Amino acid sequence: MTRTRFVLLCSATICMTLAVAGVQAFGQGLGPEAYGIGAYFGMGTLTPTRQLGMGTPTASVNDVYFGNPAFAATQETASAGVRVTTTDFEGGPRFTGVQAHYVQPLRPGYSGMQVSILSLDSSGDNATLPGMGPVAVGVVEDGFLVDYGQQIGDGLSAGLSVLGYRRSKFSLATPGGPQLVNLKSAADYGGRIGLAYEWAPGDYCGVTFSHAQQTVDLAGVMMGVPGSMVFHSDRLALGVSGHLSDEVLGVVEYQYGTTSSGQAESSVSSWHFGAEYQASRDLAVRAGLADESPTFGVGYDDGEWRVDYAYISDWNDDVTGALFGGSDTHSLHASRRW
């Protein structure tokens, strides 16, 4: 079977398997679940800028920095890098996230580990919200993860991510007036498991599943009596990447997440399609769709240093569109291997 036919077969299988999954948008209001808005631009997208330009897949494209912990097992060299991402919303606020990563093979090509650190902030930004007028928006998220991956079979690797620390905040306040919403959360525990199968050189089927528990403190006029709630969040990513030719890499991935507290549950699902064209030995061009949001990117790699840029239009619009309007996202990532 040719590579192209294999990719198409995997894509069709994913479509048929997951077509029955319901599509329910994340809560559009400003209930307690709004504490997790920052995660869609932070801890939920710990993936290279390269992938952001390819439709934002997280589980099925191997790289020097990765969202699937199973890829820690495939690393041959150590690497480190920094990614800076900004999202400007029509409604006013700007999310700015800084991520740093360090990858260390333990037994090159067999086992390895990765440490990722994240800081996301929009504190003090002003916005004009539908039906509410001008408000001050505060979105904060900080955390770090430790990944470990190991080969467990011929072309098959498995990995585990352990959440070392995570805190987040979402707040709205009227200028000179009372605080409308003030949500502060701290992770009680969290982790991610992943599998990756290399079905052809450089081509992978990948799957990840993550689960976390957060305790959220509620305050503000819109929250009523101050208190706290325990939330559970789950996220599944399933996809396949493959070379359609020597110069073109394609990827298709499905992602599904839920957030629940007691009997209340909200969910969000998305499809991700992308491609990368290796225009020359050092230069690559990328494009894709992240749940109907177009993405574009370009990258330069000389074998030691790599710099990537990506643009996303209306990223996570089903989560934030009703609140903040459309958005423009720019991401710049620099990394070094040795």
Side-chain angles (χ1 to χ4, degrees), residues 84-210:
V84 180
T85 302
T86 63
T87 300
D88 289 292
F89 292 94
E90 292 177 350
R94 169 187 287 185
F95 294 175
T96 300
V98 179
Q99 298 176 9
H101 67 89
Y102 171 70
V103 176
Q104 179 61 59
L106 301 177
R107 294 176 58 187
Y110 180 79
S111 64
M113 63 179 297
Q114 173 180 256
V115 178
S116 302
I117 302 172
L118 165 79
S119 179
L120 177 76
D121 186 26
S122 74
S123 295
D125 285 354
N126 294 320
T128 301
L129 302 187
M132 297 179 63
V135 295
V137 179
V139 176
V140 175
E141 185 175 44
D142 298 298
F144 73 88
L145 284 169
V146 178
D147 299 327
Y148 173 79
Q150 180 174 312
Q151 294 282 352
I152 59 173
D154 187 16
L156 181 64
S157 58
L160 172 67
S161 295
V162 177
L163 181 62
Y165 170 78
R166 181 180 179 182
R167 73 176 180 91
S168 62
K169 177 183 177 181
F170 178 85
S171 63
L172 296 176
T174 56
Q179 220 168 28
L180 303 176
V181 178
N182 188 14
L183 307 173
K184 298 180 180 179
S185 73
D188 302 317
Y189 59 82
R192 178 186 294 122
I193 57 174
L195 290 172
Y197 176 66
E198 188 174 15
W199 57 271
D203 302 336
Y204 291 87
C205 292
V207 59
T208 62
F209 176 77
S210 60

Side-chain angles (χ1 to χ4, degrees), residues 42-68:
M43 293 294 287
T45 56
L46 292 175
T47 192
T49 294
R50 176 192 177 202
Q51 274 87 297
L52 294 185
M54 297 173 65
T56 72
T58 62
S60 52
V61 178
N62 194 8
D63 211 334
V64 295
Y65 177 41
F66 38 85
N68 185 341

Side-chain angles (χ1 to χ4, degrees), residues 212-329:
Q213 176 178 298
Q214 291 87 212
T215 297
V216 182
D217 295 325
L218 316 175
V221 175
M222 295 178 64
M223 293 294 103
V225 178
S228 63
M229 296 178 67
V230 175
F231 282 85
H232 293 90
S233 58
D234 299 291
R235 183 171 181 174
L236 171 72
L238 173 66
V240 58
S241 65
H243 283 83
L244 305 179
S245 69
D246 290 340
E247 296 82 16
V248 179
L249 175 69
V251 59
V252 57
E253 188 168 297
Y254 175 82
Q255 298 174 11
Y256 179 77
T258 64
T259 301
S260 62
S261 180
Q263 298 299 313
E265 179 177 300
S266 59
S267 62
V268 59
S269 64
S270 56
W271 283 97
H272 303 256
F273 304 91
E276 176 183 68
Y277 172 63
Q278 197 68 40
S280 68
R281 185 183 65 179
D282 299 332
L283 182 66
V285 180
R286 299 141 190 158
L289 284 175
D291 194 27
E292 300 182 0
S293 296
T295 71
F296 305 94
V298 62
Y300 172 82
D301 187 349
D302 67 5
E304 179 182 4
W305 287 96
R306 195 172 103 189
V307 178
D308 296 295
Y309 166 79
Y311 169 79
I312 308 173
S313 177
D314 297 335
W315 193 18
N316 295 309
D317 188 62
D318 55 346
V319 177
T320 58
L323 195 60
F324 299 133
S327 66
D328 294 304
T329 296

